[in-house]
């Protein structure tokens, strides 16, 4: 088997893993958003029509919203859909635009890797302390681990963008 064939097979495998991650994260986001919507609907109807709100709805909403934000982070990073302020980008020469893309990817990568590291440290602390929510005693550590993993994956996508910027000569 030639080296090119082995490399091609490895690249296809990496793409399929990436596609599976994207699918899993996308479906996770869909279910979280649908769950948030349903929980809010049931809580509001229960609260105002039946005087019986859903116990712990506020806590569950907070946890689900946090999970949604971090589950969407790698998808947003991979698609380069983060909010960017590009006031001067289009008036700059192409070489400066390339340098700006490089700096943007470098800063994003650094921030995301630092965020992943700190979230991982915090997740470990939360797990060691067995920290839970007040009303329902739901553990915080799984959400922190999810956030750390998603920030790490986002950092890897930012690294991929940085690599692309370097290959293009900025």
């Amino acid at each position: 088997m030639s080296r090119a064939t082995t490399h091609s097979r490895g690249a296809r495998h990496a793409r399929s893993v990436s596609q599976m991650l994207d699918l899993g994260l996308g479906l996770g986001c869909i279910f979280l958003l649908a769950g948030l919507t349903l929980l809010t609907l049931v809580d509001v109807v229960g609260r105002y029509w039946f005087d019986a709100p859903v116990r712990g709805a506020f806590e569950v909403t907070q946890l689900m919203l946090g999970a949604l934000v971090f589950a969407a982070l790698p998808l947003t990073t991979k698609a380069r859909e983060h909010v960017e302020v590009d006031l001067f980008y289009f008036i700059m020469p192409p070489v400066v635009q390339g340098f700006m893309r490089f700096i943007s990817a470098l800063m994003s990568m650094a921030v995301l890797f630092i965020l992943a590291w700190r979230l991982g440290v915090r997740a470990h602390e939360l797990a060691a302390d067995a920290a839970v929510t007040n009303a329902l005693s739901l553990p915080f550590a799984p959400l922190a681990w999810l956030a750390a993993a998603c920030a790490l994956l986002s950092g890897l996508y930012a690294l991929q963008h940085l690599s692309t910027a370097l290959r293009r000569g900025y």
Side-chain angles (χ1 to χ4, degrees), residues 23-106:
L23 178 63
L25 288 169
L27 287 173
C29 288
I30 289 169
F31 287 126
L32 284 165
L33 193 55
L36 277 165
T37 304
L38 183 62
L39 177 60
T40 302
L41 174 70
V42 170
D43 187 46
V44 168
V45 168
R47 180 179 312 274
Y48 293 107
W49 286 1
F50 301 108
D51 199 29
V54 175
R55 182 176 171 266
F58 182 71
E59 282 182 353
V60 174
T61 299
Q62 285 181 316
L63 294 173
M64 289 174 74
L65 190 56
L68 177 62
V69 167
F70 280 99
L73 184 62
L75 299 172
T76 305
T77 303
K78 184 177 182 183
R80 297 181 184 187
E81 294 289 327
H82 289 292
V83 174
E84 294 180 352
V85 178
D86 53 3
L87 296 174
F88 303 108
Y89 181 79
F90 293 106
I91 62 172
M92 297 294 172
V95 70
V96 175
Q97 289 178 355
F99 182 70
M100 291 169 75
R101 281 191 304 273
F102 169 78
I103 293 298
S104 173
L106 181 66

